[in-house]
Amino acid sequence: MTSEALIDYVKGLLGDKTKWADPEAGDNFLTVASEDWKNICQTLATDKKCSLTYLRNFTGTDYPEDDEIELTAHTFSYSEKHGLIIKTRISREAAVCDTLSKIWPAAIWYEREIFDLLGVSFNNHPDLRRILMPEDWVGHPLRKDYKQQETYRGIPTTRPA
Amino acid sequence: MDAMVEQGPEGSFVLGKVDDLLNLARKNSLWYMLFGTACCAIELMQTGGPRSDADRFGMVFRATPRQSDTLILAGTITYKMASRIRLLYEQMAEPKYVIAMGSCANTGGLFQESYAVVNGGDLFLPVDVYIPGCPPRSESLIEGLMLIQQKIEKEPWLKKAWTNTKNPKDPQIEGLL
Amino acid sequence: MNALADFIINSLGLSGLSAELVMLLLVVAVAAAVFGIGMTISGLLTLAERRVAGRIQSRIGPNRVGPFGLLQWLVDGLKLIMKEDVVPHDADPHMFRMAPYLVVVGVFAAFASLPFGQLLIASDLNVGILYLLAITSLVTVGVLMSGWASNNKWSMIGGIRAAAQIVSYEIPTALSVASIILISGTLSMQGIINEQGGWPWQWYIFYNPFTFAVFFLYFTAALAEGNRIPFDLPEAESELVSGYNTEYSGMRFAGFFLAEFANIYLMSAIATTLFFGGWQIPGVTPEQQAGSLVLQITGMVVFMSKSAVGCFVVIWIRWTLPRLRIDQLMSLCYKYLIPLSFVCLGGNAIYLLIFPKPSSANTLVHMITTLFGGVLIVIFVTRVMYHHRISGVSLDLNFLARGEKGKYNPETQVRAYGSFRKKYEKKQGAK
Amino acid sequence: MVFYFTALITVGTASYAVFSKNITRCAFSLLYSFFGMAVLYGLLSADFVAVVQLMIYVGGILVLLLFAVMLTGNIELAANSNKTASRWLGYPLGMVIFVLLVSVFLRVPWGKSAVQAYLPTIRAIGESFLGRLLLPFEFLSIVLLAVVIGAVVIVRNRNVCNASEEEEST
């Protein structure tokens, strides 16, 4: 399916639940509300014509000026040879979202990474632990207002002059 | 050698001679641990290869910390790895030496501002020799190993063994283990 | 032995001492001598391994201590004595300390019955070859003990692998030795050598086609028993850290290390005794040799050089071949080596029935087998020379190289590439 | 003197093997016991038997024993390792065997024989195996053959079971 055809098809499938980006912006992506996040991903992954069965990338971005964290899922369909970017925004304080690991098992590690670096906790995630930073690390480094701790287990985090 | 005779109690001359022999043995059989944390490890492997043969000096690699004399910090050290490296260091048998190889192991280098990288191996290990470079060539690493040899030559080993084996500069970081 | 003790007492005027005490001292002295010889040989072998490895990998190898780095092994030993002797907290301390002794005793006790010369043997037992096979089984238990006592999973896996391997490969080793015993009719090491002669066609390897095959069976099985590459699974560095000696440091590790190299010499020496005529000098009968000191020393040199060649081949194999998988190792033993050694044993028995010992037909068979072996060697050498020629690399077999021998020469490489290209173009043209 | 020393080691380690709670140590202490026994055989000028004792008991049986001990899970637990039929059956049985041994020991006319020079015993052993003792020898061979076949059959059966289970699961 070409990307225009895919956009039209998804628009028809999901109706007014989606908000589409300005086509001038480059990539075509749709933004959904965080309550519909899991259901829409489920629909897009299982729908016969979309069949976006492959999660290429799943990441998050911090927007302190909007007080929101944006989650971005890059999906791809090997059978139909098309891809789609799905986004959602959640609040920074209560950073909670539904897990995608039931739909795409690859999301388990991606979600652990987002949890580790941005502090988003995912409901019903099978194994939500830190993946990159040590287990007893304080804070989530990719938040824009992150302040590094002074010492980690006795190692100073800044080089003494 | 002269300095040692002056320092020591009576009979230190004999001890010094024996020390010379023992240090000759120790410096010519400096086994290093086969351990690399990042890209400098490629140069570490290269040092054992044909063009710059570390085996000429009697330096062979050992896979286990128990049998190695030198720990070469080859590459970027993250905080998560730091506790493992400290554990490996504690598992090594005395006497042991540490070489910080490359900018990252010296000061954090390119990744100094990163949230995950330790700003230098000397923040949690007693480093004996720093080798600059990104990565250092194998010649530099050999020179670093030869500096360790020079350090060994000057050590009063017998007296050290009888008195205190703890290095006073050793930062004792209890939380790491 | 008693007579010797009496002789010493009488000649030195030590009548105050009892014969038993002198004999005890004598035994201790002989044991110390054997141990010293074993240590020296295995130490020198560690050096030889590193030098040969250096040349094979176009490096130089240790050359800083002593002439040609000849004292490197002493320096290594001295350093290992000085290292801290670590006993892990969770290890079983008594057994952890005991295991290296068992391994060292198992290997070095075997040196007591090696015939370095016609008179140079610590104790020529009636059951010499069986004794060698039996006493080295202490190594199995020592290795298992070290693996278990270290309380480390790599050590444990290494120890179990080592034990399984040694126990399995003991069978083909013993069966190939049995073939030789069948021919010689004696178990004593000197007896087996006495049955052979100095010339190659009098050696047992060329006795008949079956013994020729048996030699290769023995060599493969002995490689596996000594835990050498390609059968070094117990201490596979890339999988098991260091296998059963992972937790050992200092002198205890040196014990394992020396025992491993002593084992190499042991297998080469046994092969020399069983298959290559031991200390027999070509053209000299044992009776003549017994009378002369010069011939005795020559015999020793002959024995040592034959086993040195064996050691060299073992080291050469180690730096050439990759490692086997554990299931390949076991299937090699149980599916190929054991049946083949049974076939060879039966073949030898039938051969002995058809050709009783001294007969001209027998000599003919020896000659034909020797010729066959010679042809094989010639084919091997010509193949090596051919490949060496087309590779265009200058040959440098100087194992004692001190400095910049065997330099990298870009021109020879270009020439080699050129010759390959010419061949390739010829082939393309022919098509 | 050598005799008493070896006897002490043999008996001491054997009793350690019996009385110790740590079963792996028991197995390892058997090593010294076997070794001491080999030395005792050697002192009795039975060199072949001594060597075979080392080869088979130390090299084969002990290693198999250790394998069994090490590969069994939770062998350190007393419940797993020291399961006996009954204490009250064991003691009388031990006593009976002890009395039997003592009576044999007392009845045998122990004569002091001169220490013989080391003579090759292998030929004598071989000839008696293929001559006077041919029937027991062949009988033993048949028993061993049966054991080998039995072992193969057991292993084969298990493999077949596993294969069929795998088929069912897939």
Side-chain angles (χ1 to χ4, degrees):
Chain A
M1 228 189 277
T2 61
S3 71
E4 288 81 16
L6 178 67
I7 291 167
D8 289 340
Y9 177 74
V10 174
K11 273 180 181 165
L13 191 71
L14 298 176
D16 56 349
K17 282 181 185 171
T18 58
K19 199 175 84 191
W20 288 89
D22 182 13
E24 306 274 308
D27 280 340
N28 286 303
F29 59 84
L30 74 160
T31 310
V32 301
S34 62
E35 300 83 57
D36 303 333
W37 173 241
K38 195 185 166 187
N39 294 334
I40 285 177
C41 286
Q42 179 82 49
T43 317
L44 291 175
T46 49
D47 186 80
K48 274 275 158 15
K49 279 202 164 167
C50 288
S51 69
L52 295 159
T53 49
Y54 175 49
L55 183 67
R56 277 205 289 208
N57 186 22
F58 185 25
T59 180
T61 325
D62 187 22
Y63 289 104
E65 62 275 13
D66 302 343
D67 207 24
E68 275 177 338
I69 287 174
E70 189 177 68
L71 300 179
T72 312
H74 294 240
T75 57
F76 189 74
S77 164
Y78 272 107
S79 55
E80 307 292 324
K81 306 278 186 296
H82 61 228
L84 191 66
I85 301 169
I86 315 164
K87 290 190 177 185
T88 186
R89 287 200 164 210
I90 54 176
S91 87
R92 276 181 104 232
E93 277 70 44
V96 181
C97 188
D98 284 327
T99 179
L100 300 185
S101 55
K102 302 286 183 301
I103 308 164
W104 297 295
I108 293 177
W109 277 25
Y110 286 126
E111 284 172 359
R112 278 179 66 184
E113 187 184 346
I114 295 168
F115 166 73
D116 188 357
L117 300 176
L118 282 165
V120 179
S121 54
F122 292 88
N123 294 330
N124 302 325
H125 189 280
D127 181 27
L128 201 61
R129 285 180 293 129
R130 283 183 183 272
I131 187 169
L132 295 173
M133 303 305 291
E135 296 270 309
D136 52 352
W137 193 257
V138 180
H140 303 284
L142 282 193
R143 291 225 180 183
K144 296 269 163 69
D145 55 353
Y146 169 71
K147 276 270 184 327
Q148 201 172 18
Q149 62 203 75
E150 286 291 309
T151 56
Y152 168 69
R153 294 201 190 181
I155 308 173
T157 52
T158 48
R159 192 157 180 84
Chain B
M1 177 65 217
D2 291 335
M4 225 156 56
V5 175
E6 284 165 24
Q7 275 172 15
E10 64 272 26
S12 61
F13 185 70
V14 179
L15 276 190
K17 278 292 169 205
V18 176
D19 258 346
D20 277 358
L21 177 70
L22 296 183
N23 286 341
L24 179 83
R26 286 199 302 136
K27 81 168 204 194
N28 279 304
S29 133
L30 205 62
W31 296 354
Y32 58 91
M33 189 153 77
L34 193 65
F35 176 71
T37 44
C39 30
C40 281
I42 299 289
E43 284 296 322
L44 176 61
M45 295 169 209
Q46 156 69 10
T47 309
R51 298 296 292 281
S52 56
D53 180 15
D55 199 12
R56 283 178 299 159
F57 307 97
M59 295 164 188
V60 287
F61 64 81
R62 297 300 312 171
T64 152
R66 301 270 186 223
Q67 292 148 20
S68 37
D69 308 294
T70 325
L71 172 64
I72 300 178
L73 297 172
T76 321
I77 307 157
T78 58
Y79 285 105
K80 206 173 183 177
M81 203 65 195
S83 47
R84 274 77 165 167
I85 293 174
R86 182 74 201 190
L87 182 65
L88 283 174
Y89 177 75
E90 299 292 345
Q91 281 177 340
M92 282 166 69
E94 294 278 351
K96 50 193 172 186
Y97 301 91
V98 180
I99 293 180
M101 179 189 180
S103 307
C104 301
N106 287 339
T107 64
L110 187 63
F111 309 102
Q112 199 165 34
E113 296 293 311
S114 166
Y115 51 84
V117 174
V118 183
N119 293 338
D122 51 357
L123 294 181
F124 63 101
L125 281 183
V127 174
D128 294 293
V129 171
Y130 299 86
I131 305 171
C134 187
R137 290 181 60 108
S138 46
E139 290 92 328
S140 312
L141 181 56
I142 292 257
E143 196 188 347
L145 287 164
M146 287 170 84
L147 282 174
I148 293 254
Q149 289 188 337
Q150 286 171 18
K151 182 177 175 158
I152 290 173
E153 262 178 27
K154 288 174 193 151
E155 274 178 353
W157 196 83
L158 276 178
K159 275 172 240 155
K160 193 183 162 196
W162 286 344
T163 53
N164 185 15
T165 51
K166 276 270 187 289
N167 189 340
K169 277 192 296 180
D170 187 347
Q172 288 293 312
I173 294 169
E174 302 298 331
L176 268 180
L177 290 177
Chain C
M1 244 357 208
N2 273 321
L4 189 62
D6 284 339
F7 173 73
I8 288 173
I9 289 168
N10 292 332
S11 57
L12 294 181
L14 300 168
S15 49
L17 295 172
S18 70
E20 263 191 0
L21 189 66
V22 172
M23 208 176 108
L24 199 70
L25 287 177
L26 213 75
V27 166
V28 169
V30 169
V34 167
F35 191 62
I37 289 170
M39 286 295 239
T40 316
I41 286 174
S42 48
L44 282 173
L45 261 180
T46 59
L47 178 70
E49 159 121 1
R50 283 164 76 177
R51 287 306 291 217
V52 173
R55 296 320 294 162
I56 287 175
Q57 298 178 339
S58 84
R59 294 189 284 117
I60 294 169
N63 64 355
R64 286 296 192 272
V65 196
F68 309 116
L70 273 176
L71 300 179
Q72 181 67 42
W73 62 281
L74 277 177
V75 160
D76 278 336
L78 209 54
K79 183 209 76 173
L80 283 169
I81 292 172
M82 279 187 278
K83 288 286 274 185
E84 183 189 1
D85 182 21
V86 181
V87 178
H89 182 262
D90 289 339
D92 188 326
H94 302 295
M95 279 160 63
F96 186 81
R97 295 207 179 93
M98 194 64 215
Y101 293 117
L102 275 183
V103 174
V104 167
V105 165
V107 174
F108 285 103
F111 273 70
S113 145
L114 281 188
F116 293 103
Q118 195 178 20
L119 304 173
L120 265 175
I121 180 166
S123 119
D124 183 20
L125 296 171
N126 281 325
V127 285
I129 185 70
L130 272 186
Y131 164 78
L132 283 178
L133 292 179
I135 201 79
T136 42
S137 60
L138 273 182
V139 175
T140 329
V141 184
V143 163
L144 252 181
M145 195 188 257
S146 71
W148 188 80
S150 295
N151 203 357
N152 172 330
K153 50 188 164 231
W154 305 129
S155 305
M156 183 72 193
I157 295 172
I160 287 202
R161 274 186 182 184
Q165 184 175 324
I166 295 174
V167 167
S168 308
Y169 277 87
E170 195 110 296
I171 305 166
T173 317
L175 283 174
S176 17
V177 169
S179 285
I180 297 302
I181 294 169
L182 206 63
I183 298 168
S184 71
T186 170
L187 291 171
S188 138
M189 298 293 268
Q190 299 289 34
I192 292 171
I193 293 178
N194 277 324
E195 292 281 316
Q196 305 175 59
W199 297 106
W201 54 87
Q202 292 165 326
W203 295 349
Y204 272 158
I205 181 174
F206 299 128
Y207 193 82
N208 64 29
F210 294 110
T211 49
F212 190 70
V214 159
F215 167 69
F216 292 99
L217 291 177
Y218 169 78
F219 194 75
T220 318
L223 264 184
E225 263 202 278
N227 301 336
R228 291 291 291 183
I229 280 180
F231 309 110
D232 78 326
L233 289 128
E235 43 195 314
E237 258 161 10
S238 45
E239 316 165 17
L240 294 184
V241 188
S242 273
Y244 53 83
N245 56 34
T246 301
E247 294 286 351
Y248 283 87
S249 67
M251 211 48 217
R252 291 177 205 283
F253 164 68
F256 281 114
F257 199 61
L258 283 179
E260 192 192 323
F261 280 90
N263 217 339
I264 297 171
Y265 183 78
L266 201 62
M267 63 171 272
S268 311
I270 295 175
T272 308
T273 309
L274 293 184
F275 297 100
F276 295 104
W279 38 257
Q280 298 257 23
I281 309 163
V284 180
T285 59
E287 290 78 34
Q288 281 169 324
Q289 200 178 339
S292 152
L293 184 67
V294 178
L295 285 180
Q296 280 297 324
I297 293 170
T298 321
M300 197 189 80
V301 170
V302 165
F303 184 87
M304 285 303 224
S305 37
K306 279 175 187 169
S307 10
V309 170
C311 293
F312 172 72
V313 173
V314 173
I315 293 170
W316 179 15
I317 288 172
R318 185 202 194 294
W319 293 97
T320 311
L321 292 181
R323 185 183 302 133
L324 260 66
R325 255 190 355 245
I326 188 86
D327 60 321
Q328 291 169 336
L329 179 90
M330 285 298 158
S331 66
L332 175 71
C333 178
Y334 285 109
K335 288 184 188 164
Y336 302 98
L337 289 188
I338 291 179
L340 277 177
S341 26
F342 267 119
V343 167
C344 287
L345 186 61
N348 270 319
I350 293 167
Y351 178 88
L352 282 180
L353 275 183
I354 297 171
F355 301 108
K357 256 188 180 172
S359 71
S360 51
N362 223 334
T363 320
L364 194 68
V365 172
H366 300 344
M367 289 293 185
I368 291 168
T369 325
T370 316
L371 214 64
F372 177 66
V375 167
L376 276 188
I377 290 170
V378 168
I379 290 173
F380 178 74
V381 170
T382 41
R383 290 291 295 176
V384 169
M385 281 170 71
Y386 170 73
H387 283 287
H388 168 244
R389 203 169 62 244
I390 64 169
S391 73
V393 177
S394 69
L395 185 68
D396 181 14
L397 283 180
N398 185 3
F399 289 106
L400 297 177
R402 230 190 125 76
E404 292 288 305
K405 285 274 174 62
K407 263 188 199 161
Y408 170 75
N409 186 353
E411 277 184 22
T412 51
Q413 291 234 327
V414 170
R415 211 167 59 224
Y417 175 68
S419 75
F420 272 122
R421 193 173 54 193
K422 260 177 230 157
K423 268 189 188 171
Y424 178 73
E425 279 165 359
K426 238 185 226 170
K427 260 189 192 171
Q428 294 294 313
K431 271 181 189 171
Chain D
M1 197 175 74
V2 182
F3 169 76
Y4 287 114
F5 185 65
T6 17
L8 195 73
I9 286 179
T10 314
V11 174
T13 50
S15 49
Y16 183 86
V18 173
F19 294 118
S20 173
K21 288 271 181 242
N22 185 337
I23 192 157
T24 323
R25 283 194 180 184
C26 293
F28 277 120
S29 78
L30 269 183
L31 163 72
Y32 304 104
S33 184
F34 287 148
F35 199 77
M37 246 138 86
V39 174
L40 289 181
Y41 281 131
L43 287 176
L44 290 170
S45 1
D47 45 5
F48 181 71
V49 184
V51 164
V52 166
Q53 159 88 12
L54 262 189
M55 210 153 124
I56 292 177
Y57 277 90
V58 175
I61 289 178
L62 183 62
V63 171
L64 280 183
L65 210 89
L66 284 170
F67 265 32
V69 165
M70 286 178 177
L71 295 179
T72 312
N74 288 333
I75 194 83
E76 307 270 314
L77 294 179
N80 277 1
S81 60
N82 288 348
K83 216 172 262 179
T84 45
S86 158
R87 187 165 285 204
W88 302 116
L89 194 71
Y91 285 142
L93 216 69
M95 285 307 289
V96 166
I97 291 172
F98 181 71
V99 167
L100 221 76
L101 281 176
V102 168
S103 64
V104 168
F105 182 77
L106 289 178
R107 268 184 213 174
V108 171
W110 301 97
K112 271 197 176 175
S113 66
V115 177
Q116 288 174 348
Y118 280 95
L119 288 172
T121 52
I122 312 147
R123 187 171 290 276
I125 290 173
E127 273 167 5
S128 53
F129 265 143
L130 292 178
R132 195 163 59 84
L133 301 170
L134 185 61
L135 190 67
F137 180 68
E138 289 299 324
F139 190 68
L140 270 180
S141 325
I142 289 168
V143 169
L144 284 178
L145 189 69
V147 167
V148 170
I149 293 171
V152 170
V153 165
I154 289 170
V155 173
R156 262 187 82 89
N157 272 346
R158 191 172 298 162
N159 278 349
V160 169
C161 287
N162 285 348
S164 61
E165 277 169 18
E166 276 162 23
E167 276 164 22
E168 279 165 20
S169 66
T170 53

